Amino acid sequence: MVEPGSSAPRWAGCLVGLASAAVGLAVGELVAAVASVRSPLVAVGDRVVDVVPTQVRSWAISTFGTDDKTVLMAGVLVLLAIAAALLGIVAVRRSAWIGAVGVAVFALVGLVAQLGRGDTGVLRPLPSIAAGVVSAGTLVLLARRAGRIWQPTRVVEDGGPTEIERRRFL
């Protein structure tokens, strides 16, 4: 288990967070395709379009033309990547379970967005649930692994510090 005060570098936490988010997004897209419902990413993008003021929507259409949806999705992905990197840092350096709770919040956002409009049927929450479970599990697994690799330096009996095996992480 990851102990508080893990000496893992921040970049390791960023990688853990980004990898877990990528796995979760991929699973969400796959489940959405199999279930023939909107993916969580598309559902969140649609919900953002619904809640932005009309002036902002008009500006985006006039500025980006037919690419406005692509720019919106890129923006959602950038914000998700930043949040995933931060959650990964917290998971690796503090507690993997705090990171998992953060992932659950994002899965809940996707779930609410999917229930809001569009698809019907009992399968529409499935992509967000699957993405959240897989992403949280991946985050906890990778954060624990990173925490074991970058354990705080301990003093061995001869008085010298132990060697940290960073290569095992990769």
Side-chain angles (χ1 to χ4, degrees):
M1 190 160 117
V2 177
E3 295 182 18
S6 171
S7 62
R10 285 189 178 91
W11 63 262
C14 287
L15 286 178
V16 165
L18 291 171
S20 64
V23 169
L25 280 175
V27 167
E29 293 290 328
L30 180 64
V31 171
V34 170
S36 297
V37 295
R38 290 182 309 151
S39 72
L41 185 62
V42 171
V44 169
D46 289 344
R47 185 58 73 132
V48 168
V49 169
D50 288 348
V51 299
V52 298
T54 307
Q55 297 87 354
V56 174
R57 191 176 316 135
S58 299
W59 172 82
I61 292 170
S62 67
T63 303
F64 301 112
T66 57
D67 293 328
D68 63 328
K69 187 75 169 191
T70 304
V71 172
L72 170 69
M73 289 302 181
V76 169
L77 283 172
V78 166
L79 291 176
L80 183 62
I82 291 168
L86 293 174
L87 285 173
I89 291 170
V90 169
V92 169
R93 296 180 67 110
R94 297 286 177 234
S95 169
W97 295 109
I98 294 173
V101 168
V103 170
V105 169
F106 277 94
L108 184 62
V109 168
L111 181 70
V112 169
Q114 282 184 305
L115 295 177
R117 62 182 265 213
D119 303 324
T120 59
V122 295
L123 296 180
R124 67 184 167 166
L126 197 57
S128 290
I129 293 170
V133 168
V134 169
S135 185
T138 303
L139 182 75
V140 169
L141 180 76
L142 292 177
R144 285 183 173 176
R145 178 82 171 147
R148 280 194 301 266
I149 292 169
W150 282 287
Q151 294 175 359
T153 304
R154 295 172 301 213
V155 176
V156 292
E157 296 198 16
D158 68 356
T162 61
E163 186 67 30
I164 299 173
E165 297 181 36
R166 292 184 172 111
R167 293 177 194 232
R168 289 189 317 170
F169 177 70
L170 301 175

